[in-house]
Amino acid sequence: MANNKTGFTSSFGVVMAAAGSAVGLGNIWRFPYICGQYGGAACLFVYLLFVFLIGMVLLMTEFVIGRRSGFAAEKAFPALYPKRPSWKIVGLFGMFTCFLILSIYLVISGWTVGYFWDSVTGKLASIEDGAFDEYFVQFSTSVWKPVVFLVIFLVLTLIVVLGGVQKGIEQVSKLLMPFLLVLVIVLCVRALTLPGASKGIEYLFNPDFSKLTWEGILAILGQALFSLSVGMGAMIVYGSYIPRDNNILKNAAWITVCDVLIAVLAGVAIFPAVFAAGQSPAGGPSLVYEVLPIVFNSMGTIGIVFAAVFFLLLSLAALTSAISLLETLTAWLHDRGMKRSVAAVLISAIELVLAVVVAYAYKREGFDGGILSGFTPGGRDLFDWVDKLTGSYLPPIGALFTVIFFGWVMKKEDIYDELSNHGVLKISWFKVFYHFLVRFVAPVALLISLVAGIFAK
Ligand code: TRP
């Protein structure tokens, strides 16, 4: 099948763009916390297994589907199996997932850009230690603040996507990803040299297999998928931009390594600092917006710089992920005949409305929420709904059907042909990959985790 679209120019470009998609809010505020909560090195061990055996296999799966078909998710499935066009439902399901993720991503990224601004202007440094929760609530539930910053972030994302696949996405990722690595290393060095830092390292890495519960294992698998951006068609789109002579296995391995590395480094940057400042670890928003500002303030004047560096790091990591989400949806509409620029603007406009609704639905436990937080169908506000759906349920469902299509519907010869670049590469690992990981391990693991996840409340 011909792939006439503009794609990425080199392996390096592919790895940076896809690592940009993978490294995001999930790595920096979710992974370290999950790691601490579910047994440190024990969790890390399981995470590495899942990431390399299931996550990376899905990454390769999506790359092959994308590059072979040359399409975004909706058309990719039928293109590879014309007998049953209804497989496009899996693609559409992925689009729905991306659509929801982008809305909540915009909200959280907006908060982050806002905190970056507050740290640069010195506002954060002027707040008393005990008042950060109140400050965060005021910020996140105010009518205009979250919206203003969210719009700034969305406009930046849109500009990059309008710049195109090569000149926008690839260029920006090649620039930002190495910069991100430098920022996170700077933060690690600072954190590790604080007195009392070792307790944080212990929290992160001390292996405690008793904390590794069944529930924990599910959370770790969900995180492995979410973190690699698989199970929703995003990597099918990036796959369709991979040059024909690139080695898909190598690309996928590098992307996975970058993703894990940044997640672990983020943990090393955060927890030693948290313990050194006498705070206790928390998860999600309160870690980033309530605990860390206290930590930065405890460093004295230089803390202002580190606060700015941290919120910049988080904003940029979120930006390359948001770019990937917007590109996924744009490429999908483009496949359906819409002009790229029109598609990107249209999606952004719809996401803006949705994101504002989600932002206004946010409620911090124990405080008054945003103006829409009283709307709680099924006992959850809309922010919680989107968070739960996108974090736990939708990605494994998408991943399960994608891998079933790949292992049981697509022709094995086609997969071999694509992974070996039409016989050019020697791929002695193919049998293990295909018969063991793709057809057996990945679907069984996904199915078990889904069923257990749904029944375990
Ligand atoms: N991987 C991103 C993170 O860790 C989040 C994400 C999930 C994503 N699915 C995606 C990003 C699809 C881009 C496209 O934060």
Side-chain angles (χ1 to χ4, degrees):
M1 232 159 283
N3 181 352
N4 312 319
K5 290 183 185 168
T6 350
F8 299 131
T9 56
S10 63
S11 263
F12 182 66
V14 172
V15 172
M16 289 300 107
S21 171
V23 174
L25 299 170
N27 298 59
I28 298 175
W29 84 12
R30 207 151 148 240
F31 174 79
Y33 182 68
I34 289 188
C35 205
Q37 196 181 11
Y38 296 117
C43 167
L44 190 62
F45 175 72
V46 175
Y47 183 73
L48 289 177
L49 270 183
F50 282 164
V51 157
F52 281 96
L53 292 184
I54 302 174
M56 194 176 119
V57 164
L58 265 139
L59 196 54
M60 293 171 69
T61 297
E62 294 199 12
F63 281 169
V64 168
I65 294 177
R67 189 169 77 171
R68 186 121 191 125
S69 70
F71 286 121
E74 183 189 0
K75 289 206 173 166
F77 290 90
L80 296 175
Y81 191 65
K83 261 193 261 171
R84 276 271 157 77
S86 47
W87 272 99
K88 74 174 182 197
I89 292 171
V90 180
L92 288 172
F93 184 79
M95 295 307 96
F96 176 67
T97 308
C98 285
F99 194 75
L100 286 185
I101 295 185
L102 184 52
S103 71
I104 196 161
Y105 230 80
L106 290 174
V107 174
I108 299 170
S109 307
W111 296 344
T112 311
V113 175
Y115 267 60
F116 172 63
W117 178 249
D118 283 350
S119 53
V120 172
T121 56
K123 172 105 204 208
L124 271 194
S126 70
I127 296 169
E128 295 284 312
D129 278 1
F132 277 108
D133 47 357
E134 223 165 282
Y135 181 72
F136 174 61
V137 169
Q138 254 178 24
F139 177 90
S140 60
T141 60
S142 106
V143 173
W144 63 272
K145 265 196 162 177
V147 179
V148 169
F149 291 110
L150 178 167
V151 169
I152 295 175
F153 184 85
L154 177 58
V155 169
L156 285 177
T157 308
L158 179 61
I159 290 174
V160 177
V161 171
L162 287 177
V165 176
Q166 275 172 19
K167 298 216 174 77
I169 300 172
E170 184 175 347
Q171 278 310 103
V172 167
S173 309
K174 281 202 240 177
L175 207 78
L176 288 187
M177 294 313 289
F179 182 53
L180 214 78
L181 188 64
V182 173
L183 289 187
V184 82
I185 290 175
V186 168
L187 288 171
C188 281
V189 171
R190 170 71 275 206
L192 288 175
T193 49
L194 289 169
S198 60
K199 259 175 128 185
I201 294 295
E202 222 170 87
Y203 175 77
L204 250 188
F205 293 120
N206 185 30
D208 182 352
F209 280 91
S210 71
K211 284 205 202 143
L212 194 63
T213 56
W214 186 230
E215 180 208 332
I217 290 180
L218 303 182
I220 297 167
L221 176 63
Q223 173 65 12
L225 298 177
F226 185 85
S227 187
L228 281 176
S229 310
V230 293
M232 56 211 76
M235 290 300 186
I236 295 184
V237 169
Y238 277 11
S240 73
Y241 302 151
I242 297 181
R244 291 267 162 219
D245 60 355
N246 263 207
N247 185 333
I248 285 186
L249 171 71
K250 264 198 194 154
N251 284 349
W254 273 112
I255 294 157
T256 310
V257 167
C258 289
D259 191 48
V260 171
L261 184 72
I262 301 250
V264 172
L265 288 179
V268 172
I270 292 174
F271 289 118
V274 167
F275 280 94
Q279 299 294 312
S280 50
S286 76
L287 171 69
V288 172
Y289 304 108
E290 294 165 15
V291 177
L292 286 182
I294 301 179
V295 174
F296 294 128
N297 277 1
S298 75
M299 295 176 184
T301 327
I302 194 77
I304 300 180
V305 176
F306 284 101
V309 170
F310 176 80
F311 287 110
L312 180 66
L313 168 75
L314 197 57
S315 305
L316 295 180
L319 181 65
T320 49
S321 298
I323 290 168
S324 161
L325 286 159
L326 181 59
E327 174 62 26
T328 302
L329 295 160
T330 300
W332 162 56
L333 290 185
H334 182 55
D335 272 0
R336 297 177 134 233
M338 198 181 280
K339 243 182 99 180
R340 264 189 68 93
S341 50
V342 177
V345 172
L346 178 71
I347 298 279
S348 301
I350 301 173
E351 290 285 355
L352 175 62
V353 176
L354 194 63
V356 171
V357 170
V358 174
Y360 286 165
Y362 182 69
K363 184 176 185 326
R364 169 86 164 79
E365 258 180 58
F367 290 88
D368 285 341
I371 49 182
L372 295 179
S373 62
F375 180 56
T376 53
R380 284 179 198 284
D381 61 50
L382 290 179
F383 185 96
D384 270 0
W385 267 116
V386 176
D387 187 38
K388 197 85 209 143
L389 281 175
T390 58
S392 312
Y393 295 119
L394 302 182
I397 297 176
L400 176 63
F401 284 101
T402 306
V403 86
I404 288 176
F405 176 84
F406 192 69
W408 297 91
V409 178
M410 243 180 105
K411 274 221 255 19
K412 180 175 145 195
E413 293 70 32
D414 287 352
I415 298 175
Y416 185 89
D417 187 57
E418 197 59 39
L419 282 171
S420 67
N421 294 352
H422 314 296
V424 176
L425 303 173
K426 286 233 153 30
I427 51 171
S428 45
W429 44 267
F430 183 77
K431 273 198 178 140
V432 178
F433 168 79
Y434 183 76
H435 291 285
F436 183 61
L437 296 175
V438 167
R439 304 190 89 181
F440 181 66
V441 174
V444 170
L446 287 165
L447 195 63
I448 293 178
S449 78
L450 261 173
V451 172
I454 287 165
F455 287 107
K457 276 188 292 178

